[in-house]
Amino acid sequence: MAKIREALKLNLTKVVNDMRVTQSMLSNNMLRNLSNNYNKMGKLQDQLTTQKRITRPSDDPVVAMLGLGYRDSLNKVQQYSRNISEATNWLDSTDDAISQGVKVLQRIRELTVQASNGTYEEGQRGAIAVEVDQLKKQLETIAQTQVGGKYIFNGENTNKAPAAGNFSNGDIELEIFDGIKLNVNTKGSELFKSVFNTLDSLKSKLEDKTASDTDISGFLDTLDSEIDHFLKIQADVGAKQNRVDMMKDRLSSQETIATEIMSKNEDIEIEKVITELITQESVQRAALSVGARIIQPSLVDFLR
Amino acid sequence: MVSTFHGLETAKRGMTTQQLALYTTGHNIANANTPGYTRQRVSFATAEPFPGAGLNRPQIPGQLGTGVQAGTIERIRESFLDVQYRSENTKLGYYSSLSSALAKMEDIMNEPSNSGLQNIMSQFWSSLQNMADHPENLGARQVVAAKGQMVAETFNYYYNSLDGIKKDLGSEMDVTVKNINTIVSQIDELNKQIASVEPHGMLPNDLYDKRDQLVDQLSSLVNVKVRPIKPIQYGQPLPTAVGLYQIELVQNDEAQLLTVDGTTGASQQNELSITAENGVKAPPLKGNVQSVQVGSVTLDNFSGKLKGLIESYGYVDGNGKVKGHYPEMMEKLNKLAYAFASEFNHIHQQGYGLDKTDPAGEFFDLGGSTDYDETINYAQVIKVHDEIIKDPTNIAAAKNGGDNSGDNEIAFELADLKSKDFSNYSSLPDDMSGTFDFYYAAMIGELGVAAQSANTNMENVQVLVDSVEYNRQSVSGVSLDEELTNMITFQHAYNASARMITVIDEMLDKIINGMGVVGR
């Protein structure tokens, strides 16, 4: 009995709360719902065409703020890749130039051995002296190696060719990662430290008719140490090349990661958005068809 | 005894009253789509019964009904819902003006995108790094000059666009103030018309509707409250008469846009006006808002569209500081432009141009000022120095002077500036911390949060306004089904009363023509 009364009471309150609803309320409601739906569809459409979850900071301030940082780090990684390829240019060219220099010195050493074995005549020594002079000039050309218009052995004075045996100083450093700088130039003054003087005195000994075989063979040790000096510096360059290669690998994985983080932060999941769009579309259709049914008939249609 | 013709009078009364109700129904149907219209009803009441009490009353068994009479034609409306609607509508006006002002700011700042300052700064940084890779390359230097110009122009564009919108907001505020005063004077006019009807014991329902609609409009502009006043010298108004509207502002000091005298009903309008910081009265508004007055009272608390506009446009707070979304953003841009450009110059001047022996000059031109001066709009005046554009070899990449074209130390230092902590800057405006990147990201973040909260609040309040409006429509809206049902009811009642007359007619016919003719 109490239950029934309770139910009746409930029913009564429901009747009391039942609102008076008019046609214009229904049509206004429908209009509002339709426009809300269009709004949502517009947002989804924006997302699909831009492939971005947000188009303005207020869509999601956190995503927007993080996005600024991620874009920046992606840009950095890309720039450091460019810096690294420039560093590689320097190091590869230096490496190549040193190899050529070593070849020249080895040729000079061969000539020196020939000139010192006693069977050569004076005239032949003179010819060797001419060749050594030519090779020295070749070495001077190597000292003036240019990469992209820069003289790589002339310290920071990259715009001017170094005069023979007279190099400018200064280290050139490139930034290969945030705050990590790499010295990319090999200073001519270090590489060609004494080689031109040695060659000059070798040449004058070869031209000296009184010079003995031992006088000339005495140069072999000096030449060997010059070659060693070249090789040692080349090893330094090689070590730097390794470092740059490693950095390059690291950067390329960094680029992938940075792109991915950025994408995760602000890109849409297409399948999700399309699903939402389809859902929204069917909601829209339903709203339209319901609207067409609700709005149309009124009592007027049934009164005669 | 009851009069022979008693029934005729009763039926006639029934017909006129039903007719009245039928015409009111027609009025409702005709106005079903009129904005602000409130449905009207004729209140029916039984007429005085016959006979009245008295010594010489006729001796009949009891009081006999004399039919129906129309009471008043009144609106069906709940004033409580009006109060609710107006208070929500005020909030809606506030948040929607805030939201639209901030959306414009977002459009200008255009982040995240490829044309925002963040991206331009990244490009500038890259160009400096490229210059560090190839300091002897004129092309790389030209790019630095060009990207530097882009940075300066982005600052200029931001500042000028924000300034333009701020000016627009100022004129919008002038229009809004004018609008408020016009609406109040229209309400005053309606008050006067109503005052010429109510004392005669009638209800000017359609004038009420117009007046309530104006108050609704007013409520979205500023937070008003209505106090209906029925003056003492007011004739014979019905108890249901609404009276004259006094328009008050919701705030501490009593401020009235429209004052109605409680005795005579005489009204006085107090104009709302704005005073700018230089003490000049608007319109036109020039400079940030110092105060808003109604008559001679200065407002201490207001809301609505006016408040949204003021908070966007800028105002002077109690401590004499300029607040507001636009001026604050513009000030931050000024600070950022100054801090970055002056530190950039500072580093730049420690270096040397390409193979130059004299130290380099300035890179950015800030109009010649050295210390931060808050009256100068740095974001507006910043540009790349003419000497740099004329000859990019004047850009300092080298730390040391003379022939050292490969020296790139300064170029790297310049590039690093973007992520250098402000505390290491040589000169800095107040209240700046972090790095360029952080500071700018925080600016965008704050803008995003402010705009987001304005949007969310606007949506929420919109829902509330809609729901109150829904309730209001539920009470006051015209339902065609209902009116048609009433129409039929009243029509049938009218017909039935007419039939009553026919019946009485037949009765009288019997008496007049059929009686006393016995045996004829």
Side-chain angles (χ1 to χ4, degrees):
Chain A
M1 207 44 199
K3 259 192 184 164
I4 292 170
R5 212 178 300 136
E6 196 65 21
L8 277 174
K9 215 162 98 191
L10 271 180
N11 203 16
L12 194 73
T13 45
K14 190 171 177 298
V15 170
V16 170
N17 283 344
D18 262 350
M19 256 184 155
R20 178 176 171 274
V21 179
T22 72
Q23 281 87 355
S24 66
M25 283 162 74
L26 286 183
S27 53
N28 282 343
N29 258 3
M30 199 197 72
L31 265 181
R32 188 164 52 241
N33 288 337
L34 285 181
S35 113
N36 281 347
N37 272 343
Y38 279 129
N39 230 338
K40 282 180 198 155
M41 281 166 80
K43 264 248 140 88
L44 292 172
Q45 207 175 32
D46 272 356
Q47 292 189 345
L48 274 179
T49 45
T50 58
Q51 296 288 309
K52 298 277 173 216
R53 273 201 286 156
I54 62 165
T55 46
R56 39 177 64 238
S58 56
D59 289 340
D60 192 333
V62 177
V63 168
M65 259 177 88
L66 290 177
L68 293 185
Y70 292 150
R71 272 152 205 270
D72 206 49
S73 43
L74 184 62
N75 180 53
K76 272 189 174 168
V77 170
Q78 285 164 348
Q79 179 59 39
Y80 288 132
S81 299
R82 281 196 282 274
N83 290 6
I84 277 189
S85 74
E86 178 62 13
T88 314
N89 267 351
W90 275 88
L91 294 173
D92 287 357
S93 310
T94 310
D95 186 35
D96 198 44
I98 296 176
S99 294
Q100 283 180 35
V102 170
K103 268 186 204 150
V104 168
L105 286 175
Q106 274 164 350
R107 175 65 189 149
I108 291 172
R109 192 182 182 282
E110 275 168 31
L111 291 171
T112 313
V113 172
Q114 280 176 26
S116 66
N117 70 4
T119 56
Y120 271 51
E121 289 171 19
E122 233 170 67
Q124 284 172 313
R125 272 195 189 174
I128 290 175
V130 170
E131 196 175 343
V132 166
D133 192 42
Q134 284 303 317
L135 288 168
K136 185 198 158 206
K137 290 216 170 84
Q138 170 70 20
L139 214 51
E140 279 171 7
T141 318
I142 291 172
Q144 294 179 355
T145 304
Q146 271 179 295
V147 174
K150 299 178 227 191
Y151 293 96
I152 59 175
F153 288 116
N154 204 21
E156 288 184 329
N157 196 1
T158 51
N159 265 357
K160 303 244 162 63
N166 196 6
F167 295 95
S168 297
N169 268 322
D171 290 332
I172 290 175
E173 294 188 328
L174 293 183
E175 197 166 73
I176 53 173
F177 200 65
D178 238 348
I180 301 177
K181 284 188 181 170
L182 180 75
N183 171 223
V184 291
N185 70 329
T186 302
K187 273 172 281 188
S189 54
E190 264 172 38
L191 182 66
F192 301 100
K193 196 163 50 180
S194 49
V195 71
F196 292 123
N197 285 338
T198 309
L199 294 185
D200 278 343
S201 42
L202 173 63
K203 187 188 152 211
S204 54
K205 266 287 182 260
L206 286 169
E207 283 165 347
D208 185 357
K209 287 166 190 161
T210 62
S212 66
D213 285 353
T214 38
D215 279 343
I216 292 171
S217 62
F219 276 99
L220 288 176
D221 281 350
T222 328
L223 280 173
D224 281 343
S225 69
E226 288 294 349
I227 291 172
D228 279 352
H229 179 64
F230 267 58
L231 290 176
K232 193 180 141 276
I233 288 183
Q234 196 177 22
D236 275 357
V237 172
K240 281 180 189 165
Q241 278 173 318
N242 282 344
R243 205 177 139 196
V244 166
D245 284 346
M246 223 171 64
M247 203 48 111
K248 207 183 207 165
D249 287 349
R250 202 197 284 175
L251 269 183
S252 75
S253 63
Q254 283 265 350
E255 186 170 356
T256 321
I257 294 169
T259 315
E260 201 180 297
I261 291 182
M262 197 172 104
S263 156
K264 264 193 191 145
N265 183 51
E266 57 192 56
D267 288 358
I268 55 162
E269 285 172 58
I270 296 188
E271 55 277 29
K272 201 175 145 210
V273 177
I274 288 182
T275 315
E276 278 174 29
L277 187 67
I278 291 171
T279 315
Q280 209 58 50
E281 265 172 16
S282 53
V283 170
Q284 178 74 353
R285 269 165 197 282
L288 281 170
S289 72
V290 165
R293 281 183 175 76
I294 283 180
I295 301 299
Q296 216 178 27
S298 85
L299 196 53
V300 186
D301 301 281
F302 301 96
L303 290 176
R304 281 186 300 123
Chain B
M1 270 301 291
V2 178
S3 157
T4 315
F5 300 102
H6 173 93
L8 271 180
E9 195 55 36
T10 304
K12 190 194 96 188
R13 231 182 247 142
M15 281 176 74
T16 49
T17 309
Q18 300 302 334
Q19 200 178 27
L20 195 66
L22 207 51
Y23 289 164
T24 303
T25 302
H27 186 55
N28 282 340
I29 292 174
N31 284 298
N33 294 323
T34 307
Y37 181 74
T38 310
R39 66 187 168 119
Q40 297 174 10
R41 280 287 170 268
V42 178
S43 62
F44 286 4
T46 49
E48 284 278 302
F50 176 83
L55 278 177
N56 54 352
R57 65 182 170 83
Q59 290 301 315
I60 55 170
Q63 281 198 319
L64 183 63
T66 59
V68 67
Q69 70 177 10
T72 53
I73 302 173
E74 52 196 24
R75 302 188 302 165
I76 300 192
R77 195 172 176 110
E78 246 181 67
S79 60
F80 172 66
L81 288 175
D82 286 339
V83 174
Q84 259 190 335
Y85 178 86
R86 284 163 196 161
S87 105
E88 297 305 334
N89 200 28
T90 303
K91 289 182 204 154
L92 182 62
Y94 168 61
Y95 286 121
S96 52
S97 84
L98 208 56
S99 158
S100 95
L102 289 171
K104 281 178 198 145
M105 194 188 274
E106 283 186 307
D107 288 342
I108 290 167
M109 308 296 280
N110 199 13
E111 296 284 7
S113 81
N114 290 334
S115 54
L117 184 60
Q118 186 275 336
N119 190 274
I120 305 290
M121 281 300 289
S122 277
Q123 291 182 25
F124 186 46
W125 177 86
S126 284
S127 75
L128 288 165
Q129 288 271 346
N130 274 337
M131 184 176 76
D133 290 352
H134 311 278
E136 56 288 286
N137 187 321
L138 280 183
R141 285 168 175 270
Q142 241 141 17
V143 174
V144 169
K147 296 291 178 189
Q149 269 176 300
M150 274 169 75
V151 168
E153 279 162 10
T154 307
F155 271 114
N156 301 159
Y157 166 75
Y158 278 6
Y159 190 91
N160 290 332
S161 308
L162 290 177
D163 198 40
I165 302 279
K166 186 172 144 73
K167 290 203 173 85
D168 290 349
L169 289 172
S171 15
E172 201 180 339
M173 198 134 48
D174 286 336
V175 173
T176 306
V177 169
K178 199 171 159 223
N179 212 349
I180 290 173
N181 291 329
T182 312
I183 292 178
V184 172
S185 78
Q186 283 171 342
I187 293 176
D188 190 25
E189 190 51 43
L190 281 168
N191 265 349
K192 286 186 178 121
Q193 291 180 28
I194 287 167
S196 66
V197 179
E198 278 184 338
H200 302 288
M202 286 188 287
L203 297 177
N205 291 323
D206 299 325
L207 293 178
Y208 289 160
D209 280 347
K210 275 188 199 153
R211 188 173 61 174
D212 278 327
Q213 209 189 355
L214 284 173
V215 178
D216 284 353
Q217 281 175 24
L218 189 61
S219 74
S220 94
L221 305 179
V222 69
N223 49 341
V224 288
K225 153 174 100 176
V226 165
R227 188 194 299 275
I229 290 179
K230 263 189 250 177
I232 296 169
Q233 303 168 4
Y234 205 53
Q236 304 288 319
L238 288 173
T240 45
V242 178
L244 305 176
Y245 275 0
Q246 172 162 292
I247 309 288
E248 302 176 351
L249 282 146
V250 184
Q251 67 145 19
N252 296 335
D253 287 342
E254 217 167 87
Q256 289 146 6
L257 284 165
L258 187 61
T259 312
V260 173
D261 189 282
T263 314
T264 61
S267 67
Q268 189 206 332
Q269 182 181 355
N270 305 306
E271 298 252 328
L272 186 129
S273 64
I274 292 181
T275 309
E277 58 190 329
N278 45 17
V280 178
K281 285 230 170 198
L285 185 60
K286 289 212 168 84
N288 296 306
V289 174
Q290 178 79 52
S291 61
V292 182
Q293 302 90 15
V294 165
S296 57
V297 183
T298 299
L299 300 191
D300 52 29
N301 164 41
F302 47 95
S303 182
K305 182 181 179 186
L306 188 65
K307 186 184 178 197
L309 286 173
I310 289 175
E311 281 186 3
S312 307
Y313 176 84
Y315 59 97
V316 183
D317 76 353
N319 303 323
K321 269 195 80 79
V322 173
K323 288 279 164 78
H325 292 291
Y326 274 78
E328 280 177 45
M329 182 57 90
M330 284 153 82
E331 192 197 355
K332 280 180 193 157
L333 281 175
N334 280 341
K335 280 181 169 179
L336 194 62
Y338 170 81
F340 181 74
S342 61
E343 184 66 11
F344 198 92
N345 285 345
H346 178 69
I347 296 172
H348 193 257
Q349 284 168 311
Q350 291 168 10
Y352 292 83
L354 184 59
D355 292 337
K356 300 265 157 80
T357 44
D358 293 328
E362 291 185 333
F363 184 90
F364 285 113
D365 185 352
L366 284 173
S369 69
T370 45
D371 288 330
Y372 181 70
D373 177 351
E374 57 187 24
T375 61
I376 296 176
N377 297 324
Y378 293 100
Q380 194 176 31
V381 299
I382 184 176
K383 60 175 188 174
V384 173
H385 211 283
D386 291 341
E387 293 300 316
I388 301 284
I389 296 169
K390 235 187 276 167
D391 181 5
T393 62
N394 283 329
I395 300 174
K399 178 111 183 157
N400 298 304
D403 282 345
N404 46 0
S405 49
D407 186 352
N408 57 12
E409 227 171 296
I410 291 291
F412 276 125
E413 261 189 66
L414 291 173
D416 283 348
L417 185 54
K418 202 161 85 83
S419 44
K420 178 172 161 183
D421 201 280
F422 284 145
S423 57
N424 299 323
Y425 277 33
S426 61
S427 83
L428 192 71
D430 295 340
D431 302 329
M432 287 183 86
S433 60
T435 65
F436 183 97
D437 285 340
F438 284 140
Y439 193 80
Y440 183 66
M443 277 162 66
I444 296 299
E446 277 170 32
L447 168 61
V449 170
Q452 192 190 33
S453 89
N455 291 344
T456 318
N457 283 327
M458 181 179 75
E459 280 161 26
N460 291 345
V461 175
Q462 180 75 60
V463 169
L464 289 178
V465 168
D466 287 346
S467 114
V468 179
E469 175 61 15
Y470 193 80
N471 285 339
R472 227 160 56 150
Q473 281 300 312
S474 172
V475 174
S476 307
V478 174
S479 160
L480 288 178
D481 288 346
E482 186 183 310
E483 297 302 329
L484 288 172
T485 313
N486 287 342
M487 182 182 83
I488 291 167
T489 315
F490 296 141
Q491 190 194 3
H492 280 303
Y494 179 87
N495 291 349
S497 293
R499 178 56 57 89
M500 258 319 281
I501 290 178
T502 314
V503 169
I504 295 165
D505 178 46
E506 281 174 12
M507 274 164 52
L508 292 176
D509 183 50
K510 205 67 186 170
I511 295 170
I512 296 166
N513 297 323
M515 272 168 73
V517 287
V518 171
R520 205 183 276 180

